[in-house]
Amino acid sequence: MKNNKINLKDLTFCIPVRIDSPYRERNLVAALKFYARHIHCNYIIVEAAKEQHLKKLPSIEGLTYHFIYDDNPTFHRTYYINQMLARTTTKIAAIWDADAIVAISQLNKAYRRIIEEQATVVYPYDGCFWRINDFFSSFFCKNLKISLLKDFPIMKTLMCGYHSVGGGFLVNVKLYKECGWENEYFIGWGPEDAERYKRLLILNKRPTRISGPLYHLHHPRGDNSRDGNKQVAYITKKEYCHVCSMQPDELKKYIETWDWIK
């Protein structure tokens, strides 16, 4: 199998995580094993929490792990993604949820599109982000065969309709930085995925898509997977409306004020 791996040497998976249930750790370990079985690339895992849970990650070439003590109950995911982007030494980064699974062929096509067409952002799926139930999520995590998700007539539901913009996407790190990287004013769960897409549209950097679905492995939804804090929800939705209201020149000037890209 090793000789059949696809060489995606210019790719780094950036996966921020807070282990809020055993399911989250199960999904992350399974995802890492699945991708490592089929491709050569790099991985940066950042666990930010009061307590370290990830102590038995699989031994994978190119994987680095960082634990950061963080006692804030709100997981500032955008901040940690930018920290990983700053550490990335490859041309391309996959900003990835711990629970997201995509076909290797789709991932490879997204990678090639950035390499060959100088795209800024590519979604390695067509907008259909399918929520997989616990039984089949567990089945996949044990067998690591995406055919279990693609070919079986399993019960699944769409996460965000037919035009999802979350879960996982690939970026040209340098070009994406010119667009502001992740907007750290999104300090918790909220419409940061929609804001990113809208921001790129305003800047005339429309993301492109690859045909095929993305899959979401089951996990319980804690406070960092919903609007658990009303104040945080207000701040994030206000920021989303603020960005959406801007014209291109106005948005470029706003991005220039963002400390994390200086």
Side-chain angles (χ1 to χ4, degrees):
M1 176 66 73
K2 184 174 182 180
N3 292 334
N4 294 328
K5 286 185 181 182
I6 299 173
N7 187 2
L8 305 185
K9 63 179 182 178
D10 283 328
L11 174 69
T12 299
F13 273 88
C14 296
I15 309 177
V17 66
R18 177 165 290 184
I19 304 299
D20 50 6
S21 75
Y23 292 87
R24 187 83 73 175
E25 181 173 1
R26 175 201 71 176
N27 294 347
L28 173 63
V29 169
L32 290 172
K33 288 181 177 179
F34 170 72
Y35 295 121
R37 177 178 288 187
H38 298 285
I39 61 175
H40 288 293
C41 67
N42 299 298
Y43 306 84
I44 300 175
I45 312 296
V46 167
E47 180 185 10
K50 292 174 65 175
E51 180 182 352
Q52 181 181 6
H53 293 275
L54 296 176
K55 298 179 180 179
K56 294 182 179 179
L57 284 174
S59 179
I60 294 173
E61 183 181 0
L63 186 150
T64 59
Y65 164 80
H66 307 272
F67 172 73
I68 300 174
Y69 177 81
D70 184 348
D71 61 0
N72 189 333
T74 300
F75 182 40
H76 196 165
R77 187 172 182 272
T78 55
Y79 167 80
Y80 288 114
I81 290 173
N82 285 341
Q83 293 294 304
M84 286 186 281
L85 288 173
R87 290 180 175 140
T88 299
T89 58
T90 56
K91 179 178 181 177
I92 303 172
I95 298 174
W96 215 256
D97 287 359
D99 317 285
I101 301 295
V102 74
I104 300 302
S105 60
Q106 294 169 220
L107 187 68
N108 186 34
K109 288 177 182 178
Y111 175 90
R112 299 298 168 192
R113 186 164 294 179
I114 291 182
I115 292 290
E116 296 167 7
E117 301 179 17
Q118 292 296 299
T120 300
V121 174
V122 178
Y123 292 94
Y125 69 106
D126 54 18
C128 291
F129 190 10
W130 291 104
R131 180 187 288 112
I132 306 301
N133 65 24
D134 186 24
F135 176 83
F136 276 97
S137 293
S138 178
F139 201 19
F140 171 82
C141 289
K142 291 177 181 177
N143 293 277
L144 302 180
K145 295 181 179 180
I146 201 167
S147 59
L148 298 173
L149 308 179
K150 291 175 59 179
D151 301 335
F152 278 65
I154 64 177
M155 291 292 295
K156 57 183 185 289
T157 56
L158 288 170
M159 296 284 289
C160 301
Y162 290 96
H163 304 284
S164 177
V165 288
F169 55 97
L170 276 64
V171 305
N172 178 311
V173 177
K174 180 178 181 295
L175 296 180
Y176 189 45
K177 187 173 185 179
E178 295 174 3
C179 298
W181 278 355
E182 295 292 279
N183 185 342
E184 292 184 20
Y185 292 127
F186 288 88
I187 57 176
W189 187 87
E192 74 274 12
D193 292 326
E195 181 273 343
R196 180 191 309 113
Y197 190 85
K198 181 65 175 179
R199 174 162 35 105
L200 289 164
L201 289 182
I202 294 172
L203 296 172
N204 197 30
K205 299 291 185 180
R206 177 183 289 274
T208 61
R209 289 193 181 276
I210 302 299
S211 296
L214 183 69
Y215 300 99
H216 181 275
L217 301 177
H218 171 80
H219 65 85
R221 302 193 73 80
D223 286 343
N224 283 291
S225 298
R226 61 189 178 193
D227 280 333
N229 183 305
K230 291 183 179 180
Q231 181 64 21
V232 169
Y234 172 76
I235 292 171
T236 58
K237 289 170 176 59
K238 182 179 179 181
E239 176 66 12
Y240 174 64
C241 293
H242 181 51
V243 169
C244 289
S245 69
M246 293 183 177
Q247 295 298 315
D249 289 344
E250 185 180 7
L251 180 53
K252 289 176 183 177
K253 290 180 181 178
Y254 180 48
I255 290 172
E256 288 173 0
T257 69
W258 292 358
D259 291 338
W260 54 87
I261 60 168
K262 294 181 179 179

